[in-house]
Amino acid sequence: MGRNRKAWATIASLAICLVHILPFYILLTTSFKASDDLSSKWVFPGYLYLDNFSNAWQEANMLTAFRSNVVVTAISVALIIVVGSVAAYPLARYQTRWNKFIYALFVSALIVPPLTILVPLYKFMVDIGGMNHYWGIILLFVTFNLPMTIFLYTGFIGTIPRELDEAAMIDGAGRFELFFRILLPLLKPITATVVILTGVAVWNDYQFSVFFLQHPHTRTITVALASFFGQYNSNIGWVAAGSLMGALPMIVLYLFLQRYFISGLASGAIKG
Amino acid sequence: MANVRPFTTNDVRPDPAAPLGGPAGKRMRGSAWLNLLYVPALILFGVFIFYPFIKGVQISFTNWDGYNQDFKWIGGFNYKRMFSDPDMGRVIRNTVIYGVGSAFLQNVIGLAYALFLNMNLRTRGLVRTVIYLPVIISSLIMGYIWYFFFQYDGGAINDILLLFQDEPSNLLGDKDFNSWIITFVNTYQYLGIAMVLFLAGLQTIPKDYYEAATIDGATAFDRFRHVTWPLIAPSLTISMVLNLIGGLKLFDVIVAMTNSGPGYASASMSSIMYLLYFGREDAGYAATIGILMFVMISIVSLVALFLLRRREVHA
């Protein structure tokens, strides 16, 4: 490729970046702008104004919301990993007709959007008393993230040579021991992928949380923001500041670990 | 773990690759214990997916309001009502736009970006980071961010429009246009997924294929048509299906930007279910829409999967 063409391509790529970053620029200007400043959102305020942040933090009860997010995400992801990896082991290694059926059953749920069974699920949650409790929504997150998790783990275990199992068992290892001592450490790369994919999904969730965690003491960031938006619709600076604070943890994590975020998605999807 | 050793003694060499049944089946009997490992997952599935699903079918035949214990069985009334409901035509139109429209746009733009980034530009890492960034943000928050653009009073886009016109445009209130705005936002947010999948697919194509094609006198378009396009088929399949499902079940962005309005003008099947259940206490009808949505998404994804897989085989 000519040097000239490459230079143009580089400029074009920077232009694309600029367009894609615009929403974040507008989010910044809006969240730093005083409520009586009626200048355009395109203009960055020439002063430092942080009231939007402190007001949003207090009014939306962000501290409680952050705590809910951390608790729900951490426990959900941990359970997803344990239940999912353990379930994938027999499905990958002992492909009896029955196990193939079970695997198909798990994976077919990938295409079922949880919202389609919202009404009965909501009723069921009320019946078992899981409404507005962390454990209720955690069980839902675990269940609905299992199809993808089992799919990824089963595929990955399939790529680990069976000779390894056999060698370990000749050395006298039991099957469970084999799984926990020998296979599990080998699953680190796919576990990282699962942590990122399910972690992002659970952390950002709104469609479940809005139904099952409405109480101000247990609601998560997105639910807090949505009710905040309903209340302070006219005070857009507060909403912007709240949105920025809500998105920031994931943005920071992404900027530090982006290689894992991006390659995790690609490897997970292509291998299937 | 020592206590689980005994049952490893009589089936030392399970060979899962061996044909099933007969002696192989017998040899595997010892490993049936291991199937216990997926029982927790199976229980969760049964309790939180299969049981509610069956319940949902039942509820769709009732006039349940979502709260009261007493309700009446009304047969297929909800289904009849759904197919004659003028709002539903609108809702299905929107759902198809959100699904097919964003899947199409995401794949076209995602592929274009991937081909562009595959040119080994120095800025490649930066571009990928920036374009993928929205993927990791809550789509509710993404909806609010774009609301700042499209809002009537002081919206960023209206600031520009006002240079050319006297009155701001009520973009989100325009009932024939706002579903396209929502499709655009969903596309913007998730086209990074398509791009990354295509980039991964492009990297699996050996360089010599292109060299060989060039020696044979193939133009850039020929090379794309006969080398790239067939070989990125697996990426296209997965990206298409992922984006289709993502668009068909769209919810958060709609709630953030228009809350399904004005009226039901921008509602999707998920968002109208939410309104019917919690706003109108029309749980039986909402459950019926859930079932239609389930059927629709299953059919669309299976058909898409089938068509795209067939293309892979031919390629």
Side-chain angles (χ1 to χ4, degrees):
Chain A
M1 195 175 1
R3 183 171 292 178
N4 216 354
R5 237 185 103 194
K6 195 142 194 171
W8 278 112
T10 307
I11 293 172
S13 70
L14 292 175
I16 290 175
C17 280
L18 215 60
V19 171
H20 277 262
I21 211 79
L22 264 187
F24 295 93
Y25 170 75
I26 295 290
L27 176 66
L28 279 178
T29 60
T30 311
S31 53
F32 281 104
K33 195 161 279 195
S35 50
D36 55 355
D37 181 346
L38 297 177
S39 64
S40 167
K41 287 193 171 60
W42 296 97
V43 183
F44 206 85
Y47 48 86
L48 186 67
Y49 178 79
L50 297 172
D51 283 15
N52 289 334
F53 289 92
S54 52
N55 288 334
W57 182 264
Q58 273 159 14
E59 291 298 315
N61 226 331
M62 291 288 264
L63 191 64
T64 318
F66 266 102
R67 196 195 57 199
S68 295
N69 258 54
V70 171
V71 170
V72 169
T73 308
I75 300 180
S76 299
V77 171
L79 283 174
I80 288 165
I81 299 286
V82 174
V83 178
S85 66
V86 150
Y89 175 51
L91 295 175
R93 279 298 192 243
Y94 305 101
Q95 300 178 341
T96 58
R97 206 165 300 170
W98 170 248
N99 279 5
K100 279 183 180 162
F101 168 73
I102 298 282
Y103 175 70
L105 197 71
F106 279 131
V107 172
S108 63
L110 263 176
I111 59 166
V112 183
L115 274 185
T116 60
I117 51 171
L118 169 73
V119 176
L121 209 51
Y122 189 89
K123 177 180 168 14
F124 182 59
M125 252 344 192
V126 174
D127 290 346
I128 62 173
M131 203 56 84
N132 291 324
H133 290 291
Y134 292 141
W135 64 264
I137 198 154
I138 286 171
L139 286 176
L140 289 183
F141 281 139
V142 173
T143 307
F144 284 96
N145 279 295
L146 273 179
M148 188 182 60
T149 307
I150 289 176
F151 172 74
L152 290 175
Y153 272 116
T154 308
F156 192 85
I157 294 175
T159 65
I160 298 175
R162 290 169 206 278
E163 285 77 20
L164 191 77
D165 298 24
E166 289 164 18
M169 283 197 282
I170 289 168
D171 288 347
R175 284 240 176 67
F176 285 91
E177 204 181 343
L178 167 75
F179 179 74
F180 286 102
R181 289 258 178 83
I182 295 165
L183 278 181
L184 209 54
L186 290 174
L187 297 181
K188 262 183 210 148
I190 196 71
T191 303
T193 301
V194 173
V195 167
I196 287 173
L197 288 178
T198 59
V200 170
V202 173
W203 181 273
N204 286 336
D205 177 82
Y206 174 67
Q207 56 174 32
F208 264 147
S209 316
V210 67
F211 301 117
F212 301 107
L213 283 185
Q214 294 156 327
H215 195 277
H217 288 150
T218 50
R219 68 186 180 189
T220 49
I221 296 172
T222 49
V223 183
L225 277 178
S227 82
F228 183 63
F229 181 75
Q231 264 177 294
Y232 298 100
N233 196 325
S234 52
N235 203 340
I236 218 70
W238 293 19
V239 176
S243 298
L244 183 56
M245 289 188 286
L248 211 54
M250 271 294 147
I251 296 179
V252 171
L253 217 57
Y254 169 73
L255 291 180
F256 279 106
L257 300 171
Q258 50 151 317
R259 228 156 41 87
Y260 301 95
F261 274 77
I262 294 176
S263 68
L265 170 91
S267 67
I270 296 283
K271 279 200 189 102
Chain B
M1 283 290 122
N3 55 336
V4 294
R5 276 217 185 139
F7 61 78
T8 64
T9 48
N10 54 5
D11 52 14
V12 182
R13 289 181 60 99
D15 182 5
L20 300 171
K26 231 172 230 165
R27 240 188 300 158
M28 227 162 290
R29 199 163 290 157
S31 35
W33 277 97
L34 278 176
N35 292 348
L36 285 177
L37 289 176
Y38 59 62
V39 169
L42 213 52
I43 292 174
L44 285 172
F45 258 57
V47 172
F48 292 106
I49 298 182
F50 297 128
Y51 171 74
F53 185 79
I54 292 163
K55 268 286 181 220
V57 175
Q58 277 179 16
I59 293 172
S60 75
F61 291 103
T62 69
N63 68 350
W64 189 48
D65 65 0
Y67 303 94
N68 260 317
Q69 286 309 315
D70 44 273
F71 55 83
K72 269 204 292 275
W73 293 91
I74 54 171
F77 177 77
N78 283 326
Y79 290 87
K80 254 186 260 162
R81 182 178 156 201
M82 185 164 66
F83 289 110
S84 57
D85 184 343
D87 288 329
M88 272 316 282
R90 182 82 194 180
V91 168
I92 289 172
R93 164 198 175 266
N94 290 341
T95 308
V96 170
I97 291 178
Y98 297 147
V100 180
S102 16
F104 177 78
L105 289 173
Q106 280 162 17
N107 280 289
V108 170
I109 304 173
L111 179 58
Y113 280 180
L115 288 168
F116 182 57
L117 287 189
N118 212 33
M119 282 169 60
N120 284 323
L121 297 177
R122 228 179 318 156
T123 47
R124 177 190 167 140
L126 173 74
V127 179
R128 208 179 55 164
T129 306
V130 168
I131 292 174
Y132 195 79
L133 172 64
V135 173
I136 55 109
I137 288 173
S138 154
S139 41
L140 183 87
I141 292 179
M142 193 47 73
Y144 290 143
I145 295 177
W146 281 100
Y147 177 82
F148 307 147
F149 277 81
F150 289 102
Q151 75 185 110
Y152 181 75
D153 253 340
I157 290 188
N158 267 321
D159 280 347
I160 295 175
L161 290 179
L162 281 173
L163 299 174
F164 307 100
Q165 57 196 49
D166 295 334
E167 290 285 308
S169 294
N170 191 0
L171 298 160
L172 288 172
D174 182 334
K175 64 183 171 54
D176 291 314
F177 185 60
N178 56 13
S179 47
W180 291 104
I181 296 180
I182 290 166
T183 306
F184 162 79
V185 172
N186 186 45
T187 303
Y188 162 81
Q189 179 166 18
Y190 291 112
L191 76 87
I193 292 182
M195 182 192 70
V196 166
L197 293 176
F198 284 126
L199 263 177
L202 287 174
Q203 266 145 34
T204 62
I205 304 177
K207 284 253 185 320
D208 1 339
Y209 285 21
Y210 291 108
E211 282 161 22
T214 313
I215 290 167
D216 287 346
T219 63
F221 178 76
D222 289 338
R223 288 197 299 267
F224 175 76
R225 172 76 189 78
H226 296 290
V227 181
T228 314
W229 183 243
L231 288 175
I232 51 165
S235 308
L236 181 69
T237 305
I238 192 77
S239 164
M240 206 56 157
V241 174
L242 276 179
N243 291 326
L244 254 179
I245 297 176
L248 287 173
K249 63 179 192 191
L250 200 63
F251 179 75
D252 305 18
V253 182
I254 305 169
V255 171
M257 294 192 78
T258 61
N259 199 16
S260 300
Y264 293 137
S266 57
S268 69
M269 295 180 84
S270 343
S271 74
I272 201 173
M273 253 170 66
Y274 167 69
L275 292 178
L276 285 170
Y277 191 5
F278 295 98
R280 294 265 191 103
E281 306 189 350
D282 212 343
Y285 191 38
T288 315
I289 292 174
I291 286 165
L292 177 69
M293 187 173 152
F294 169 78
V295 171
M296 220 171 101
I297 292 186
S298 307
I299 292 176
V300 169
S301 2
L302 289 177
V303 168
L305 208 59
F306 173 76
L307 289 177
L308 293 161
R309 281 264 185 241
R310 207 177 52 174
R311 199 176 83 83
E312 275 176 42
V313 176
H314 283 309

